[in-house]
Amino acid sequence: MARLDYFAPGVYIEEIDRGSRPIEGVSTAIAGFVGFTEDVRGGAELFKPMLVTNWTQYLNYFSRPNSDGFTDFNAYLPFAVYGYFMNGGGRCWITSIGTQLPNAPKPPDPQPASVRITGRGNRPSLQFTMRPEQIAAGTMTIVISDSGPRPLPEGTEGSVPPNTGEYFKVQIRRGDETLEEYDNLTMNREGNGQFATYAVTALRNSMFITIEDISQTGQPLGRRPGNGQYELTAPIPATPPDRFSSDIEGVRDDRTGVRGLFEIDEITMVACPDLMRAYQSELMNLDQVHAIMELMLSMCEGANTGDIPNPPNRMVVLDSPPDCPKPQQVVEWLNRFNRRSMFGALYYPWIKVANPRDRGNPISVPPCGHVMGVWGRTDETRGVYKAPANEVPRGVIGLDYDTNFREQELLNPLGINCIRRFPNRGIRIWGARTLVEPDKTEWRYISVRRLISYIEKSLELGTQWVVFEPNDEDLWARVRRTVSNFLERIWREGALFGASPEQAFYVKCDEELNPPDTRILGRLYIEVGVCPVRPAEFVILRISQWNGIEDEE
């Protein structure tokens, strides 16, 4: 930056930034899910969003140890997240609304809060169980680390046995507080108590946990529990049925539920697959389901108009109710819902996937998770401007209903995107429309809506350097150059229509847009127009007979 003061004679070196600042495109395929999970642990919290980048990480947060991550009551969220990652989805945010159905019968003997720790060779070693009076106090952590034999008292004759690696230490923590600590432990039931204490004997009088030796026969070194931190979490209580709907909606200030998920700026697509699980279980009636759908669409629209302080680059993927398997039924349901929005997309019918909790037999699940994975895969391989259709949803082994051509003629104009089975081509997503009003043809396609959102958000973040700069012609020229460079780049990628940049977009930032009156108010107006590419939804081949001789006039 140029200096404004020179006092001593000499040579001064100045670095001057004359280039325009390139605008980097934002991420377009980051999902947000709301639904039931098998567990909530590892730092995740009930009703609060948690970042997950792969299926293994999902298991660490939302499944029980050594579990497959699915639930005994067939919650749809694990299937949606699994399908999302399988189809090419990247990172996502998960909000758990519970680990059991609120109206499910309670077991006569509730499962105690316990954790099993394995030793060498992945064999069972110790089981720790939280004492009942400690359950209300919250999660505890069992920390196991290396130790050694107990040293002999000073002045005592004899020698300490060598450290064979069988000795360990147990700490019981809650947060950063160490509640109890036991050192010089061993799995040797008949060891010399002068040098080490059998673990079960040492922890017998613990005020916080009970301990059980579940190891098989073998040497103490082989039965020693593995080092690490192990959470001891109390069972998560189910939400009362009368509060369930409000808990799903959540509170913005507390970052809970659907409202809390919308506070994560990077999320660009949202789904709530277990709305349908709650509807099937009679936790929510259809009007309550519609209320949550309406909330998600309204928050997307409010962010776009500036009424809600959230990023305006989101879409909601909706699912049809499970009791509407046929085309006419889903049309009747959509007419009852009677909500249109360019920020919504609906896919039909439900898909069949393998259920790990039923020996791999098919189970019908909402398609939202698999579809959002396809959105992410298409963004990665082609670009956000490519319609996420004519793509194979991975992991799908069947459909709840095989839609034919005539039936899709009924559904497609209404914005219902069909998933269809084709001979020799497999199951494919065969629709790319939003749920916008039919007369708003400019927002008819998902790819157009998402492309414009991508451009808007990228320009918003990429022009932050302009704020508080002198509002003059030099700034206007720099802004035009910066924005034009970005738009030309995505035009070259194929996102904009036109044989030249001049046909594909324009950028206006001059004195006409920024007269003295607006400059006095501290405002800078930039007008951008783009011509997005649209999908070739209808391909018409015009064929006629030709005799090979040009017609003479």
Side-chain angles (χ1 to χ4, degrees), residues 199-210:
V200 174
T201 302
L203 276 75
R204 182 173 295 158
N205 296 323
S206 170
M207 298 174 58
F208 300 93
I209 61 168
T210 60

Side-chain angles (χ1 to χ4, degrees), residues 163 239 394 478 488 550:
N163 189 348
T239 301
R394 300 168 187 161
R478 292 165 64 194
E488 183 172 348
E550 185 177 355

